[in-house]
Amino acid sequence: MNSSLPLDHTVALIRYLPNGNSLAKALDLCQGLQDVPKNTQILIKPNLVFWDDVIPFPPYGVLTTTRMVEELLFCLKETGFQNITIGEGTLRDQRANASTQTAYHRLGYHRFIRRYGVKLVDFFDEPFLPVEEDGIKMGIVKTALESEFLITMPVLKTHTQTKVSLGIKNLKGVLDVKTRRLFHSSEVDLDHCVAMLGRVLKPRINIIDGIYGLEYGPFPFGQAHRLNALLVSRNPLAADISACYLIGIDPEKVGHLREIAQWMKFPMGQENLNLS
């Protein structure tokens, strides 16, 4: 490890091993939980997209793997954290039984309540608060705005509109339906809106689940690849940039990453990353 670079440049990039405590090792390498008070209110935002009981689809490379979420919960509880919430906001469709709670049930999240004492939240059951940034009015779920320590857990995948859908893009799941539609309308630039959301929420850890990667995403008919990769950083931008290099996409060409890098004055070159 290059010790001359500051900690917030550090990205733990390791091979995922099912029985190797991979996430615990990655968190240790980037000191992800160091100096975080044990009474901190933690919000975990996985990437569950949607779950449709009518039309089955392969979740690999599309949804954050349940295995990775459970590894994180185990690490948090072993470290002494007690106040843990998992939150997501998948769109609802009553005819297809599509909802966040359906996704939680089908993916086995409800056992986490019993095992780890976590709270499962459907953002669409929570109040949304008005937030205005750069003249754009957004509805952001109160749970995310009030979280003391937001952990974003995306999948390693490409995206037809933003080139990649990683830790910062994953934050779009905290928005109300009206704002989501606005972000994808011709009235605004989607990459700018995603960057703006990252500035507002400032996630504290980015855990990129690359057990499977999705090519030609974000849709489930993209090509999934078993990669066994895991990227973790206390700097969500550095993690997203590293993921771009890993899959062969120039991060300079990803609009929302380029905009946040300019805002943070963070050079995007690979040589600026402290990979461990």
Side-chain angles (χ1 to χ4, degrees):
M1 183 185 300
N2 182 354
S3 59
S4 65
L5 290 174
L7 180 64
D8 65 1
H9 288 236
T10 300
V11 180
L13 170 58
I14 67 173
R15 178 173 294 279
Y16 179 82
L17 299 173
N19 299 312
N21 298 318
S22 302
L23 183 52
K25 291 177 181 177
L27 285 167
D28 184 59
L29 284 170
C30 69
Q31 301 180 35
L33 300 175
Q34 186 178 26
D35 301 324
V36 182
K38 299 302 183 289
N39 61 348
T40 297
Q41 181 186 17
I42 294 176
L43 174 62
I44 301 169
K45 167 60 178 72
N47 185 208
L48 301 187
V49 190
F50 68 96
W51 190 280
D52 190 328
D53 276 351
V54 174
I55 304 175
F57 68 93
Y60 305 111
V62 181
L63 312 180
T64 305
T65 56
T66 303
R67 178 191 295 266
M68 189 69 76
V69 175
E70 183 155 22
E71 284 201 20
L72 174 60
L73 293 175
F74 182 81
C75 291
L76 291 172
K77 296 298 285 190
E78 282 289 293
T79 309
F81 294 98
Q82 300 296 327
N83 191 351
I84 305 169
T85 298
I86 297 175
E88 178 60 292
T90 69
L91 296 182
R92 295 174 172 177
D93 184 337
Q94 190 171 4
R95 294 169 300 175
N97 193 29
S99 71
T100 305
Q101 292 299 335
T102 300
Y104 285 156
H105 274 291
R106 300 297 181 263
L107 294 168
Y109 277 47
H110 281 81
R111 72 174 184 264
F112 297 155
I113 300 174
R114 216 170 40 247
R115 288 185 183 176
Y116 305 102
V118 305
K119 181 180 179 182
L120 295 181
V121 168
D122 180 347
F123 289 152
F124 288 116
D125 289 333
E126 304 294 308
F128 289 86
L129 301 179
V131 176
E132 184 169 345
E133 187 81 5
D134 286 353
I136 297 176
K137 296 179 180 179
M138 302 174 283
I140 300 178
V141 70
K142 183 180 179 182
T143 308
L145 288 171
E146 294 184 349
S147 171
E148 296 175 333
F149 199 89
L150 174 59
I151 301 176
T152 179
M153 290 191 76
V155 182
L156 182 63
K157 58 187 172 183
T158 58
H159 194 277
T160 53
Q161 293 175 285
T162 56
K163 292 188 171 59
V164 293
S165 181
L166 300 169
I168 296 169
K169 171 72 166 53
N170 182 43
L171 301 174
K172 198 166 69 68
V174 308
L175 301 172
D176 63 13
V177 174
K178 180 180 179 181
T179 309
R180 295 186 196 194
R181 289 174 178 163
L182 172 65
F183 275 27
H184 285 279
S185 74
S186 58
E187 298 177 39
V188 297
D189 178 76
L190 176 59
D191 273 299
H192 173 64
C193 289
V194 170
M196 188 173 57
L197 190 58
R199 294 200 305 268
V200 169
L201 293 177
K202 300 180 180 66
R204 302 288 294 276
I205 298 179
N206 186 357
I207 299 173
I208 301 178
D209 176 1
I211 296 178
Y212 290 91
L214 189 70
E215 187 178 14
Y216 305 121
F219 303 107
F221 47 76
Q223 180 63 50
H225 300 276
R226 183 68 186 249
L227 300 177
N228 290 320
L230 176 59
L231 300 96
V232 182
S233 181
R234 293 178 70 160
N235 182 333
L237 175 62
D240 279 4
I241 291 173
S242 299
C244 288
Y245 283 119
L246 179 65
I247 60 178
I249 291 178
D250 182 355
E252 289 277 4
K253 296 181 179 178
V254 180
H256 62 277
L257 299 184
R258 185 176 62 249
E259 182 173 331
I260 291 181
Q262 291 170 352
W263 174 65
M264 293 178 60
K265 296 181 174 57
F266 187 90
M268 299 184 77
Q270 195 167 2
E271 68 281 356
N272 187 58
L273 301 170
N274 187 13
L275 296 173
S276 59

